[in-house]
Amino acid sequence: MSGYGDLLRTRGVARIISAQLTARFPSGMISLAYLLHIEQIFDSYGAAGLVLGATSIGQAIAGPLTSRWMGVWGMRPVISLTLVICSASLAVVAFASLPIWGYMIVGFIGGIANPPIQPAVRTIYPKMVTSKQLTPLFSLDASAQEIIWVAGPVMTTFVATQVSTVAAIVLAGAFLIGGGVWFLASPEVGRVRIPRSRRSFGAVLSRPPVLLATVVGFLLVGACAAIEAAVVANFREDGAEAGIVLAIWAIGSLAGGLAFGHIPIGPWALARRMAVVFVGTAAAAFFLDFWGLALTLLIAGAGIAPALAVMFAIVSASVKFSETAEAYGWVGTGQLIGAALGSAVAGFLIDAEGASGGFLAGAAFALLGTVIPIVFVRAHPDLRGRDASPQADTEPVSTIS
């Protein structure tokens, strides 16, 4: 743990982690808030799934595209513009009365304007710490990120059930605006300039570790989103119990990330961590009481942050610095689509089978996320004893003869 203390004492690290987590907090709130809000309006989880699907399409387009734009126009202009548009879309969904297709259009606009905070900060990290500190920093960040994906829904569930779904969406917007402004004001954002990538758009996906992290990240967060929806549906009459169970899940992930953050990353690291998520999630489908879910989701949570840390590290070690923003844009897109699609699939299965259907959906996502890194283990770099920093960009240099 002393290593994490040294990291947080490094100039700017604690500030930039806090700012980017606040700005990205709505990523763990919006899908669930939309699910609850649209279901309440139309009395159908399926209708809510359509809105989440439209949002995910926008996010799929936005992630790598806006990330690449940061290498052209800079971080601050791109993030500022998307921040304004995304905030406006949240306000429309919260307060406007629209037909289902209207909410789908607004969801799509909000998705395509999702601010590229994650690729920005992943690009900044290697410039803030030494190469030996980079992998522990990814682990620390992945552990803290669970506040977004797990604790975010806890807050959303509590506010939506105890106050209103409108209040839950407004709260997400407050985090988006406040955190976005804080991140933009951070000195580190102005100090790092992302070089313009010389490769064609999407070419970074030809690097196997980037594609592996994108696909497995999609499946991991899809499993998380399905679990969140299933927990809420299971404790429909008692939102407080749902919030407590999700909080225990978050604690499991946080503890796992901090405990395993310094373990060297070998070629089977991602598969092992995803297997933990699958086992806990599959067991949850058969233990729907409070204590059963608390225990099984504590187990599932222990694999989440460690798996994310592995994904961040193998991407960083496999690309050039000019490609990092776009690479993390693709990874972030996979995660955001997973969040929306996981909620949507779980919603339909919950309508048909009850809460157990949602947990089985999450288990299916996690199982695929375990099998894929086993089948494609050669795409997973062995980082034991290796530097996880991005490769330096090289170009011809004129000399005087």
Side-chain angles (χ1 to χ4, degrees):
M1 291 296 180
S2 61
Y4 294 122
D6 293 338
L7 269 177
L8 292 174
R9 285 190 290 271
T10 301
R11 182 180 178 183
V13 169
R15 177 178 57 244
I16 201 70
I17 288 179
S18 300
Q20 63 97 6
L21 285 176
T22 305
R24 293 172 53 217
F25 204 78
S27 296
M29 302 176 70
I30 292 173
S31 291
L32 188 55
Y34 278 12
L35 180 75
L36 296 171
H37 184 65
I38 302 301
E39 189 278 334
Q40 186 179 85
I41 293 173
F42 295 99
D43 193 27
S44 170
Y45 281 104
L50 293 175
V51 177
L52 293 178
T55 303
S56 71
I57 292 173
Q59 292 169 340
I61 297 171
L65 184 62
T66 54
S67 300
R68 192 176 177 91
W69 285 349
M70 290 192 293
V72 179
W73 297 306
M75 292 186 192
R76 282 178 171 147
V78 174
I79 293 175
S80 298
L81 177 61
T82 53
L83 184 65
V84 171
I85 298 173
C86 190
S87 301
S89 73
L90 287 175
V92 173
V93 172
F95 296 108
S97 179
L98 302 171
I100 187 64
W101 59 265
Y103 286 114
M104 291 173 66
I105 292 174
V106 175
F108 173 80
I109 294 172
I112 204 169
N114 187 63
I117 303 290
Q118 179 174 352
V121 77
R122 298 283 183 271
T123 303
I124 291 172
Y125 281 159
K127 300 299 182 181
M128 297 181 65
V129 298
T130 65
S131 59
K132 290 184 179 180
Q133 290 178 308
L134 188 56
T135 297
L137 177 55
F138 282 137
S139 296
L140 177 62
D141 182 82
S143 300
Q145 181 172 281
E146 288 317 296
I147 298 173
I148 297 173
W149 295 114
V150 184
V154 173
M155 186 177 297
T156 302
T157 301
F158 179 81
V159 173
T161 56
Q162 304 302 314
V163 185
S164 71
T165 56
V166 170
I169 296 174
V170 170
L171 182 61
F175 275 109
L176 179 66
I177 296 171
V181 171
W182 184 11
F183 181 77
L184 289 170
S186 300
E188 293 76 16
V189 177
R191 293 191 190 120
V192 177
R193 177 72 171 88
I194 302 175
R196 185 191 294 262
S197 177
R198 293 187 293 274
R199 302 184 75 194
S200 60
F201 178 70
V204 71
L205 285 174
S206 64
R207 298 185 183 274
V210 177
L211 186 58
L212 178 65
T214 300
V215 173
V216 178
F218 158 77
L219 294 167
L220 173 59
V221 178
C224 292
I227 292 170
E228 291 159 7
V231 169
V232 172
N234 190 58
F235 296 106
R236 180 187 290 270
E237 302 301 324
D238 193 338
E241 284 196 350
I244 294 171
V245 168
L246 291 174
I248 292 171
W249 187 29
I251 291 170
S253 180
L254 179 62
L258 295 177
F260 302 119
H262 290 285
I263 294 179
I265 297 174
W268 298 97
L270 188 54
R272 286 197 297 265
R273 287 156 173 78
M274 287 300 301
V276 174
V277 179
F278 165 68
V279 169
T281 306
F286 303 98
F287 298 93
L288 299 180
D289 62 289
F290 176 83
W291 290 110
L293 287 179
L295 177 60
T296 54
L297 293 186
L298 183 68
I299 295 171
I304 296 174
L308 289 169
V310 171
M311 294 178 215
F312 301 153
I314 64 175
V315 169
S316 176
S318 304
V319 299
K320 293 183 178 180
F321 181 66
S322 61
E323 299 173 326
T324 53
E326 185 185 344
Y328 285 121
W330 285 109
V331 174
T333 287
Q335 293 177 358
L336 290 167
I337 295 174
L341 188 60
S343 294
V345 172
F348 282 107
L349 289 178
I350 290 168
D351 280 343
E353 304 292 338
S356 60
F359 288 116
L360 290 175
F365 275 95
L367 178 59
L368 284 174
T370 303
V371 170
I372 286 175
I374 292 175
V375 174
F376 298 99
V377 66
R378 291 188 177 182
H380 192 304
D382 187 348
L383 300 184
R384 291 172 295 187
R386 279 185 54 190
D387 182 1
S389 299
Q391 303 162 18
D393 286 273
T394 58
E395 59 184 10
V397 178
S398 59
T399 59
I400 300 175
S401 57

